[in-house]
Each structure stands twice: as C-alpha cells, then as structure tokens.
Amino acid sequence: MAALRWPVRPAAGALRAWGPRGPHRGKTVQAARGPLPRTPWTTRGPPPGAPLPRSWQDKRPVQEQIPGLEQVTYAGKQHFVPWLARPRHPRWERGWHDPRHSPGPRCEEMPLYKERVCYVCHQRAKMLEGVRQALWLTKTKLMEGLPPKVLNIIDEPANQLENQDERVQNAVSHARVWNTTELIPKRESYCSVLLEDLLHLCRTMASKYPSLSKRMLARDYKVAATWERESSLLQVRGMNGILLNAINPLLPVASRDEILATENHTLETFHPISPTIDLQEVNVYEERNDTGFREGYPYPHPHTLYFVESANIRPVRFRPEQLRAKMLMFAFGNALAKAKMLYGDDPKVLEHPVVVQSIGTEGRIFQFMVFQLNTTDLASSDGVKNLVWIDSDQYMYDYIRYLPGIRKKVVKFPTGIYGYRPDTFKKFLALYLHGAVQDSTQTKIL
C-alpha cells in the first residue's frame, strides 16, 4: 500500500503559491522584498573617485572614437539591410522655390529677429497662478464683485425684459435640447448657441434704449499690445473672443479719489515662481499696438469682450481660474491698445481712463469682469494702478435632465432645467446695458 504524502508546510516568511486552480501543493513563493536601502550611491551618485557606470559615460559615435573609420551603409545594395547603417544622401534641390516644401529661413536670419526675448500671451496660454499672476503682469488691483454703477442697473426693475425668466430658460433649452438631435450635446455645439441667444435677448432692449443699435459685434479680429513690466518685455496678441464695439466709450466706473488711492496698494508676488512662466518666449516679433480695426471704423471703442470655453476634452479646457486670467489679460490688451492709439506711447497716468468689460462662460457658469485702465506706466510696481472688478462662478442653472426619472411607472423627475438662477442673467444684461442707461449715480472724473 502506497504511503500517504502530505504537503510540505511552508517556511516562515514564505507565501503559498496560487495558480488558476487553487494553491499548488508543496510549492512556496518567497515574500516580496522591500525597497533597497538608500545608500550614498542611490541618493548622491557614485562615491568620489569611483568610475561612472557605462550608461552615464559619454557616448560618442564610433567614427569619433576611432579616427579614420568609415561607416558601412547599404547604399550600394539598393535595398534595406538591417545590420548596416542607414545612408545619408545629400538634399535634393528642385532648382526653383516651392513654398510648400521650403524649410524657411532660420530664426536668426529673419528680419524681425531680436536678441531680447519677448513673452507673449495668446489665446491658449494658461496661467499657472491664475488671476494673481495676471494682476501682477497688468499692474492691477482686484476689487471683489461688480462696481456700483452696474449694480444700480441690476436693481432697477425698468431694465428687465418682459417675461425675462421664461425667455432665458427657453434660450437655455434651445441651446442644450432643441438645437440638436444628439441625446447629450457637446460643449462645442451648445456653448456658442447659448451666447448668441442671450445676446439676442439683450438686443431686444434697443426699442427702449436707442443707443444699443449703435453697436457692432466683431469676430476673429486680432489685437496686439506691447508693454514693459520691470525687466521683461510683454505682449498680448492674436485672436481672442467676440468683441462688442460701440460708437461712444464707457465712462470710468471709479472716481479720481479711488484711482489715487491705488498708489498705496502693494501687488502680490509669488516668488520663486516667475510671473512669465506660462507665456511663450519668442525672439521673432514686432513691437506694435493695434486694436485690430482700421482707422475710420465707425465703432472704434471696445465695450464688452465675450469668451466661450467650449473644449470637449478636459485637459484642453480652461479651468475657471485660468479663464478669468485670460479674460483679464485680453481686456487689458484691448484697453492698452486703445489708450496708446488715443494718447500715444509715452507712459503716463491717463486723464480719461479706458474701461473694457469681459464675460466668460462654459455653458453653465458665468464670469463677469469690468476692467479700468488708469495708467500706461507699467514698468514699475509703484504709483497708480489699474482696477478690475470680478464676479466669479455665477451659475445660471445647476443641471439639465435629458431623460425623465421614472420610479414605479411614475415620472418623478421630468426633463428640463433644474436650479435656475435669475440673478445671473440680470448681471449679463446689466453689463450689456452699461453705457446706454443714464444712471443718476454716475461719478464725475475731474
């Protein structure tokens, strides 16, 4: 009779080996070892005098290590040979200039090349520190909320639309539900439609305020503004949002005393991070200040800048803080370009400040901003500073239900808009009416 064979008991510190059909009898696996101790070699490199590892040594081509050695290629074979080197043929010259296949001149050979680096803020630049970084770059003091002149427009019942809440909710439903055949529409489709519908509602106030008809929307225009900030040359340029232009400029929203009080304000720094960390460094540029419109344009003054963040891919999308920083930089760029066109390039405190508004949205959350350019002397952090009022993260609604919620054959949650907040559109409309409504509490700038 064959003797019974019992499985061997695993030793201390060992684990039972498991397979697809359970534990393997008699087989053990050693426990995983912990991390290696942190020796001077692993933390600070090799000890003094020790030879470097082979992977750390200088790897030069064999032709440089052995002089007179020629590289053997498969050029004469007329076909690929894996153990021979790839041949390098001279560049083929067409004999004529083909712009589609021309490598172009080197940066150093371009006529606009300069030794000094210029830091450019464009429409895809994302600020690491957000509004704090933009405040330092533009020499601006932050004021929470909207200015009193805009709040007075909001509080006036005569400045509201008839059946306003119902019409706004219809605009949201048109952009998010009625304008598409998809079950869940993408941001690229409904964000721009929502902005157009809201602007259409604002334009219906032209019968009450005729000056609203003396405005024009501009798309795909390019702005350029250059300024000195301490030892750096900065520039805002390129296409940005949709600009609402007007015949008459916006009046200053801060009094002369409030402007002079900014001299005592200290700009916040974020050392050791450089303020220009996210901006593009270029050596080929032109120092120019351009509003993007030709001389004699009938609507020369910037009024409101609209930004729509409609990226579907989350890594490409601007976060709310980054969107506010972008709004501040381009509102400042439009105001600076206009101020230099009116008052020249000499840095000075403006007698009549330039005011530019900005609104940004991603389809549900709105950012409101009013920027006032008080000075073009931006090189130093001392003296008069610019002012900006920001009302951030204003929800127009909480969410939209595309499919009804049914519980026990009863519709518990119907489709539609949930959490609608009417104050958000009131602020949107107030910024649009700003400049057209004659407010009795206007502050005179002496």
Side-chain angles (χ1 to χ4, degrees):
M1 181 176 179
L4 296 175
R5 187 172 296 179
W6 298 95
V8 181
R9 185 177 182 180
L15 299 177
R16 182 71 59 86
W18 287 75
R21 297 185 179 180
H24 297 299
R25 302 194 177 195
K27 295 183 180 180
T28 59
V29 178
Q30 199 69 21
R33 301 178 61 181
L36 296 176
R38 298 182 64 84
T39 62
W41 178 279
T42 59
T43 57
R44 302 184 185 88
L52 293 175
R54 204 163 197 175
S55 59
W56 291 13
Q57 295 178 4
D58 183 19
K59 292 185 177 181
R60 296 179 298 165
V62 182
Q63 291 83 358
E64 298 182 7
Q65 298 180 16
I66 305 176
L69 183 65
E70 296 183 359
Q71 189 179 40
V72 181
T73 66
Y74 55 83
K77 299 287 187 178
Q78 299 295 324
H79 61 84
F80 173 74
V81 181
W83 53 85
L84 297 181
R86 182 185 299 272
R88 295 185 178 181
H89 302 287
R91 183 178 179 83
W92 176 64
E93 298 294 340
R94 287 180 172 79
W96 56 283
H97 177 69
D98 187 0
R100 296 172 298 176
H101 299 88
S102 176
R106 302 182 46 143
C107 294
E108 294 79 4
E109 301 173 357
M110 294 184 179
L112 296 179
Y113 176 81
K114 299 176 181 61
E115 293 291 339
R116 187 182 183 185
V117 175
C118 179
Y119 298 93
V120 178
C121 176
H122 49 81
Q123 62 177 347
R124 298 311 304 172
K126 295 183 178 180
M127 299 287 183
L128 176 66
E129 293 293 329
V131 175
R132 294 171 53 207
Q133 184 176 352
L135 291 174
W136 190 93
L137 293 173
T138 58
K139 192 181 177 182
T140 305
K141 178 182 178 181
L142 175 63
M143 309 288 285
E144 296 293 340
L146 293 175
K149 291 181 61 176
V150 179
L151 296 178
N152 292 335
I153 300 176
I154 298 175
D155 298 335
E156 183 63 34
N159 297 328
Q160 308 300 324
L161 296 170
E162 185 179 356
N163 300 328
Q164 178 171 295
D165 295 341
E166 180 183 356
R167 297 170 71 178
V168 173
Q169 294 185 53
N170 288 339
V172 175
S173 299
H174 172 253
R176 300 284 311 253
V177 182
W178 304 338
N179 194 46
T180 180
T181 57
E182 300 177 357
L183 180 60
I184 300 179
K186 297 182 179 179
R187 290 175 181 265
E188 295 178 351
S189 60
Y190 69 78
C191 285
S192 58
V193 176
L194 176 60
L195 179 61
E196 292 289 346
D197 291 348
L198 296 180
L199 288 176
H200 175 71
L201 291 178
C202 295
R203 283 192 290 266
T204 58
M205 298 288 289
S207 59
K208 184 179 296 186
Y209 303 104
S211 59
L212 293 179
S213 59
K214 300 177 182 179
R215 296 179 179 180
M216 183 65 65
L217 282 173
R219 304 173 185 269
D220 299 336
Y221 79 102
K222 296 181 180 180
V223 68
T226 309
W227 73 99
E228 294 271 353
R229 189 73 177 96
E230 291 189 352
S231 59
S232 303
L233 180 63
L234 305 174
Q235 194 174 78
V236 171
R237 74 182 186 197
M239 290 190 299
N240 48 96
I242 304 172
L243 180 63
L244 178 66
N245 288 325
I247 292 181
N248 300 320
L250 287 173
L251 296 178
V253 294
S255 62
R256 177 62 62 180
D257 295 337
E258 293 175 341
I259 295 174
L260 296 179
T262 58
E263 296 182 1
N264 302 325
H265 177 70
T266 302
L267 296 175
E268 184 181 3
T269 59
F270 29 89
H271 182 79
I273 299 177
S274 173
T276 59
I277 184 173
D278 304 294
L279 305 183
Q280 182 183 4
E281 300 182 19
V282 296
N283 290 91
V284 180
Y285 59 90
E286 180 182 1
E287 297 184 24
R288 57 181 301 189
N289 296 280
D290 186 14
T291 60
F293 302 93
R294 296 179 180 178
E295 187 177 356
Y297 182 64
Y299 308 94
H301 298 283
H303 186 277
T304 306
L305 195 59
Y306 297 96
F307 289 91
V308 177
E309 183 51 47
S310 58
N312 288 322
I313 306 176
R314 187 175 294 273
V316 181
R317 191 183 310 160
F318 277 68
R319 298 194 302 270
E321 181 71 13
Q322 296 173 339
L323 179 59
R324 289 191 291 269
K326 174 184 175 181
M327 293 166 54
L328 175 55
M329 292 298 295
F330 277 97
F332 166 80
N334 283 272
L336 182 62
K338 186 62 181 178
K340 290 192 174 183
M341 187 183 72
L342 294 176
Y343 308 112
D345 296 337
D346 296 334
K348 57 185 174 182
V349 178
L350 301 179
E351 182 179 358
H352 300 287
V354 180
V355 179
V356 177
Q357 301 176 152
S358 184
I359 297 176
T361 182
E362 44 84 41
R364 185 170 63 105
I365 307 174
F366 284 74
Q367 319 289 339
F368 301 104
M369 181 180 300
V370 179
F371 179 82
Q372 178 170 312
L373 182 71
N374 300 320
T375 177
T376 57
D377 185 9
L378 307 169
S380 172
S381 297
D382 302 329
V384 174
K385 316 231 174 12
N386 304 312
L387 291 171
V388 64
W389 290 261
I390 299 179
D391 195 3
S392 58
D393 296 336
Q394 299 298 309
Y395 284 76
M396 179 166 283
Y397 55 91
D398 290 338
Y399 64 95
I400 288 184
R401 180 177 285 275
Y402 295 98
L403 296 176
I406 302 176
R407 301 290 184 273
K408 296 181 179 180
K409 299 182 180 181
V410 178
V411 178
K412 296 291 186 180
F413 306 100
T415 59
I417 304 171
Y418 286 80
Y420 171 72
R421 304 177 187 180
D423 292 340
T424 302
F425 181 75
K426 290 181 180 179
K427 297 175 182 179
F428 187 95
L429 180 60
L431 289 178
Y432 188 87
L433 297 178
H434 185 204
V437 178
Q438 298 297 328
D439 187 39
S440 60
T441 60
Q442 288 180 354
T443 304
K444 287 189 177 182
I445 302 298
L446 300 179

